[in-house]
Every structure is written in structure tokens, then in C-alpha cells.
Amino acid sequence: MRNAVQLLVLSLSLMFATGARADYYIIVNASNPQPALTISEAVNLFMGRSRAFANGTLALVFDLPRDSPKREGFYRKLTGLSLAQITSYWSRLMFSGQNLPPQPLPDEATMAEIVKRNPNALGWLSTAPTDKGLRTVLVLKDSP
Amino acid sequence: MKVPSRTIAVVVAIVTTAVSLGTGVCVADATGAGSDTFHVSGFGTVGFSQIDEPAGFAYTRNLGEDRDKSHFRADLDSRFGLQVNYRPTDRVELVAQAVASRLDPAASAADALELGFAAYRPDANWTLRAGRVNLDIYLLSDYRDVGFSYEFIRPPVDFYWQTPASLDGADVSRLWTFGDVQWKTKLYGGRTTEGTGGDLLVLDQIFGIMVSRESNGLLLRANAIRAKFGNTLGVEQQLMDALQSLDSLPQPAVVAQAKALASDLQPSGAELRYLAAGLQYDRHNWLFRAELDHFAVTRLPEGNYAAAYVSAGRRFGDVTIFGVESIAAASASLFKAPNWAQSLAPFGPVVAAQAQALASEAALAINSLAGRQHTTSLGARWDLTPQLALKTQWDYTHTDAIGALHWWGATTPEAANVSVVSVALDFVF
């Protein structure tokens, strides 16, 4: 009985630990020559300040849909801004004709599939990619 | 709200085109190339204002709006905009944006088209554009209709009232990124118009340069522009014709004064030199903005002008509170009408009275360039959802005895106080 309680406590701890963690994985196609991204490079690409990878290749940046519950956490982690601030920021760029926000894809499975098929693609997932056609260039870790 | 039917027609045409071409949503193509083609987006504001102003004043947020003198207004800030982006390739983009708002009845249909250009990007850092492009002279000037993108209900009127938002011409820009620091420079040229009828501001042969630096939430931007006035300034052509008709009078002093007045009222060909600088800081829930400009006109010192504002805001979760202090001042002093009634008395009382009335009208037109006003604003913004914000704002403006600069109907040089209380709902989609 005591072991069962210990197991239950351990399981719950792991469950809550896993649930509380919200790491985000910024991914590229496995053939992309960009070895890794710094936070500021990722911010520049996802916020439209930069249009290309370090080697000059134009980046095709993808996002999850506007109503995805995971976007708030991703952008908070990446930029420190709320979704309203992100929308406000993009409305400045978009409606002054400078740039468009990352193209939204329906879900993470589609994101992984599109990035796997396009050498210039950049996207993000909420779980570590397992497909060999994808490579993680930056992990946004949950703060301890 | 009366919106010119041609404005509605432009918006409807864009919506229809977008829908017929398969609206909206930028979806990756079947091959996985991921290039979106059409992107339709929009913005809008539903706003209400209670304006406490002296009789005859007409408050507008910019030069081209309808001069409604009502105290309660729904048309001051309410607007709806629609934009279509078309990207046939990674390097080419076509953009069109139309805005429906209550414009002056003399406005043309083309005034509803805020953007309409073709862009070519040979690489990630160079952009060449031609058509009707945004004119980012000031921090907010090229998206001033998009209320969701800033905290105010409207950009500070003392500063933004006569700012052209777009340029019919071309620009070329280059971007440099050094770690967290991004530099951008843009050269542009073309023509722009703002306002309508006798208050149409036409600037031809515009050549400008913009330099900006952005890093860690701090944006610095400077602009220098040279342009030529392409039309009259705030006066009807018949007033100048009447002054020129005095050439035949055998009174050299009156003829010389009439010519000088006509010249002052006709800045066409005069050169405009325009300098602007802005600072914006947005980090750690603090938001600061400061901008100043100086506007000098050769051959017409009455047209010289300067304006500035500072704003500070603090975010508390989804709520932002802010305050703004702004000022606009023309360098011109009050012009006194010449006494033609006395000089022309020998020609009879009717001629003398008509000439004096003409001198008074011309002086009134020149004095419309003079003025000084400053405004204190306090407000709050509440982000209800990531695409919807509710705002409220109180503005208190004092115009000096020399007259107001940005108020229709405020031609009498007298001090006045105006307060505006506004509520608005801003959205984007």
C-alpha cells in the first residue's frame, strides 16, 4: 500500500512537472545549413525584422493559427510580449505595407510536414521533433 | 456617417476582388513550397467623442476630414480599412489598402486609397517600391488609421494633423542587422496631397531620406525632406485674382502691397524643408514616445512651423494608461491688413470699402497660418482580446490669443479652450 502511494505521488509529480514545462522547439529542415539560432536571430525572423537566414537564403516562417492556445506561451517565451502586443506590432508592419506575419498553419503536424518538405522553412513545435527530416535550431526553455 | 459613395465603391471593389480571387487565408501550397499568395486583412475603429469647443470650431484629427461642428460625434475616429497583399513570387509583392472614413465632401475617390504599390525585393535586405507607398515621416504617420497599433485613440493632433500619410512615387530601402541592432535607411521621391478644396496641400518634387535604428525596444528615427509647394495654401483662387485686379490702380503703394499679399498667398514653387526626429521606447511594460519636427518654407516665412510631443505609458497586464503633452506653433506673427480705405478714398467710398474688405480677407487668410496650441491628454487602453481593444481618452487643448493652428473655423485670433472626451473600440482581423 505504501509503495502504491509512493508510486502515485511520483506519477503525479512527474505529470505536474511535465504539464508545467512549456519548452518550445524552433525547427528547420534537416538540410538547412543554419547550425543554430540565437534568441535575437529567432526574434528577428519571427517578428519580420529579418527575412533571411545567416547565409542570405530567404526564410519562409510559419506559425500556428491565431487562436492556437500555444501561441501565447511561445511568443511570451520568445519576445516577452503578450499576444495583443504581438498583434499590435504586426499591425504596424502589415498596414504600413512593410511585411506580413508568419504564415499560419493548421496544427503542429502540418508544421512539421511543411518544414520537412521545404529547405528554407522555419517553424516551431511544442514538443521535440522526432522526425529525421527536422532539426532543432533553438530551444526556448521554461524558466526554472 | 456620410462616407463618399466613391469611397464605398473602392472598398467594395477591393473586397469583391479579394473574395473572387479566393480570399484570405495564406495557406501553404500543395507542394510544400510554402509561399502564400493572397493575404486579406483589415482594421477598424468605432469611436464616439464629446467635444466641448467654442461655437464655430470644427475639430478634425487630420487635414482631410469632414469639418463637422457638432459636439457629439461618431465620425471623428470611426473608420474601416481593408488591405490585400498578393505575392506571386518570393521577391514580388502587390499591396492595396483602402480606408473608409468620413472625409471632406470635396475629397476625391483616390483619397480612400492609402496604399497601392508594387514591391520588388532582390534579396532579404533591399526593397524597391513604386506606386502609392507609405510615407513614414513620423513614428505613427504610416499607420495612423490603425488604432489597434498604438495606445492613443488618435495620434497627437497637434503633431499629426497635417501629416501626409502616403506618397505617389517610389522608394528604395536597405536594412542592416548587427546582432540586436537594426539599421534601416530609405530614399524616397514623388508627390503627395493632403486635404481638399481651398485647403489642399500639394507637395511636388519630394526628395527625402529616412534613417532609423532599432535595438532592444528603442527605436530612433530621423527624416529630412525637400519639396516644392504645388498649389495655393489655404485660400481660394478668387482672392488672389481680386488682388491682382488692383494692378490697374494709379496707386503704386497699394499695387505693391497687393502684389506682396498675392505672393504670400501663393506659395506655389516655394521650397519646403522639413526635418523630423522621433524616439520610441517599449520595454518592461513602459512605453515612451517623443517626436519633434520643423517645417520651413522659402519665400514664405509665415509658413514656418514646429511641433513636438512627449508621451509616457505603463502597462498593467492588459491595461495601459498613458499621458501625452503636445504643442504646435507657427513662427508667423499676426499680420495687420493695410489701410486701403484711406489710400483709395479719392476713388469713392464704394471702391475704398471693397478694397479694404479685400485687404481684410487677405490678412485673414495669411493669419490662418499663424497660431499656437498645446494639448494635454490622458487615457487608457484595455486589450479585451488579442485583436480587440477598448480605449478612452481625455484631451484638453488651449489655443493662444494668436489663434489655433489645427482647428477649422478658428480663424479669429483669440484664445480658446477645447476639451474632447472619447471612447473607441479598435480591432484588426
Side-chain angles (χ1 to χ4, degrees):
Chain A
M1 180 65 185
R2 188 176 170 186
N3 286 345
V5 172
Q6 282 178 336
L7 186 62
L8 181 63
V9 170
L10 181 64
S11 303
L12 286 172
S13 316
L14 284 172
M15 189 187 301
F16 280 111
T18 307
R21 283 182 66 86
D23 295 347
Y24 298 93
Y25 300 82
I26 295 180
I27 54 164
V28 295
N29 184 287
S31 68
N32 191 312
Q34 181 89 31
L37 285 177
T38 63
I39 283 276
S40 64
E41 286 171 333
V43 169
N44 287 344
L45 285 163
F46 276 97
M47 300 298 281
R49 291 177 193 148
S50 172
R51 294 174 186 270
F53 292 107
N55 67 355
T57 308
L58 286 174
L60 289 169
V61 187
F62 295 99
D63 200 352
L64 289 183
R66 194 179 258 180
D67 56 357
S68 165
K70 292 176 180 171
R71 283 185 79 236
E72 171 86 37
F74 174 70
Y75 280 103
R76 277 271 183 212
K77 199 79 64 184
L78 183 68
T79 65
L81 303 177
S82 68
L83 280 185
Q85 288 173 274
I86 294 287
T87 309
S88 172
Y89 169 89
W90 272 111
S91 67
R92 286 173 222 155
L93 265 62
M94 195 159 60
F95 296 120
S96 59
Q98 296 179 63
N99 208 342
L100 288 174
Q103 186 174 331
L105 297 174
D107 50 43
E108 294 193 43
T110 310
M111 175 90 76
E113 189 59 28
I114 291 285
V115 175
K116 193 172 76 173
R117 290 160 63 181
N118 195 314
N120 301 331
L122 178 73
W124 63 272
L125 300 172
S126 62
T127 53
T130 51
D131 195 307
K132 288 183 180 174
L134 302 173
R135 187 159 49 81
T136 301
V137 284
L138 179 66
V139 180
L140 301 172
K141 285 201 170 293
D142 200 12
S143 302
Chain B
M1 184 169 71
K2 288 188 291 183
V3 178
S5 57
R6 285 169 299 180
T7 304
I8 295 170
V10 170
V11 174
V12 169
I14 287 180
V15 173
T16 309
T17 306
V19 169
S20 65
L21 288 170
T23 315
V25 197
C26 21
V27 178
D29 62 25
T31 65
S35 58
D36 50 324
T37 49
F38 280 98
H39 187 278
V40 179
S41 48
F43 56 87
T45 301
V46 179
F48 300 94
S49 295
Q50 176 66 40
I51 304 168
D52 180 12
E53 59 192 346
F57 276 38
Y59 183 77
T60 59
R61 59 183 270 162
N62 55 49
L63 192 55
E65 283 194 333
D66 188 49
R67 302 166 196 181
D68 192 328
K69 295 174 181 172
S70 310
H71 290 295
F72 181 76
R73 292 175 55 190
D75 62 336
L76 182 62
D77 300 299
S78 299
R79 60 203 58 237
F80 178 76
L82 197 65
Q83 180 170 309
V84 179
N85 294 61
Y86 173 53
R87 283 180 170 173
T89 75
D90 286 342
R91 299 181 192 283
V92 176
E93 184 177 16
L94 303 175
V95 180
Q97 182 190 108
V99 177
S101 62
R102 190 178 180 189
L103 297 175
D104 187 278
S108 71
D111 290 348
L113 188 69
E114 289 289 323
L115 296 176
F117 65 82
Y120 175 65
R121 298 184 178 94
D123 64 27
N125 296 318
W126 284 95
T127 303
L128 294 87
R129 306 188 305 173
R132 178 164 288 185
V133 296
N134 60 305
L135 192 54
D136 46 0
I137 300 176
Y138 303 136
L139 295 173
L140 309 177
S141 54
D142 52 347
Y143 48 86
R144 65 182 178 186
D145 287 329
V146 190
F148 191 84
S149 63
Y150 45 81
E151 66 276 29
F152 319 121
I153 281 191
R154 65 193 77 87
V157 172
D158 292 343
F159 195 83
Y160 280 89
W161 187 77
Q162 63 179 13
T163 309
S166 54
L167 175 80
D168 293 333
D171 62 33
V172 54
S173 60
R174 171 73 161 94
L175 206 63
W176 291 269
T177 304
F178 307 101
D180 291 338
V181 182
Q182 188 168 63
W183 286 87
K184 183 177 180 182
T185 188
K186 183 160 89 173
L187 297 172
Y188 50 92
R191 178 179 195 271
T192 189
T193 61
E194 182 72 18
T196 55
D199 296 296
L200 185 69
L201 173 66
V202 178
L203 298 177
D204 282 324
Q205 299 175 42
I206 295 172
F207 292 100
I209 180 169
M210 184 278 289
V211 179
S212 72
R213 181 189 187 279
E214 189 169 6
S215 173
N216 297 319
L218 176 65
L219 170 66
L220 304 170
R221 185 188 288 173
N223 261 282
I225 299 173
R226 291 181 79 160
K228 284 197 171 173
F229 274 108
N231 70 329
T232 58
L233 192 68
V235 68
E236 300 295 334
Q237 184 64 40
Q238 58 260 35
L239 186 54
M240 283 186 298
D241 292 344
L243 287 166
Q244 280 157 5
S245 73
L246 299 181
D247 276 0
S248 55
L249 285 173
Q251 283 281 351
V254 171
V255 170
Q257 286 171 336
K259 280 187 173 171
L261 280 173
S263 172
D264 280 354
L265 295 170
Q266 174 56 291
S268 180
E271 190 173 279
L272 170 72
R273 292 169 188 169
Y274 205 41
L275 295 170
L279 173 156
Q280 177 177 294
Y281 179 79
D282 184 356
R283 211 167 185 204
H284 304 306
N285 290 320
W286 285 99
L287 182 56
F288 297 99
R289 282 197 182 88
E291 291 195 82
L292 58 92
D293 73 354
H294 184 257
F295 183 105
V297 186
T298 59
R299 203 170 56 73
L300 185 64
E302 292 86 351
N304 293 359
Y305 168 91
Y309 78 90
V310 292
S311 74
R314 177 76 166 87
R315 289 192 186 92
F316 300 93
D318 292 330
V319 175
T320 305
I321 57 167
F322 60 86
V324 190
E325 190 68 36
S326 59
I327 184 167
S331 59
S333 52
L334 281 182
F335 178 81
K336 193 176 176 199
N339 186 353
W340 289 347
Q342 191 173 12
S343 306
L344 299 179
F347 296 92
V350 174
V351 171
Q354 286 176 339
Q356 189 57 53
L358 182 58
S360 299
E361 278 297 312
L364 197 62
I366 291 173
N367 285 334
S368 71
L369 298 172
R372 179 190 292 267
Q373 63 184 66
H374 62 89
T375 302
T376 301
S377 305
L378 294 171
R381 167 184 172 140
W382 179 19
D383 290 316
L384 301 173
T385 76
Q387 287 87 38
L388 184 68
L390 178 66
K391 298 177 185 172
T392 182
Q393 185 169 318
W394 168 77
D395 305 281
Y396 181 80
T397 299
H398 175 75
T399 69
D400 285 5
I402 195 171
L405 270 173
H406 302 328
W407 239 280
W408 296 119
T411 49
T412 309
E414 60 186 19
N417 297 317
V418 178
S419 73
V420 184
V421 176
S422 310
V423 178
L425 200 60
D426 287 307
F427 59 91
V428 291
F429 60 92

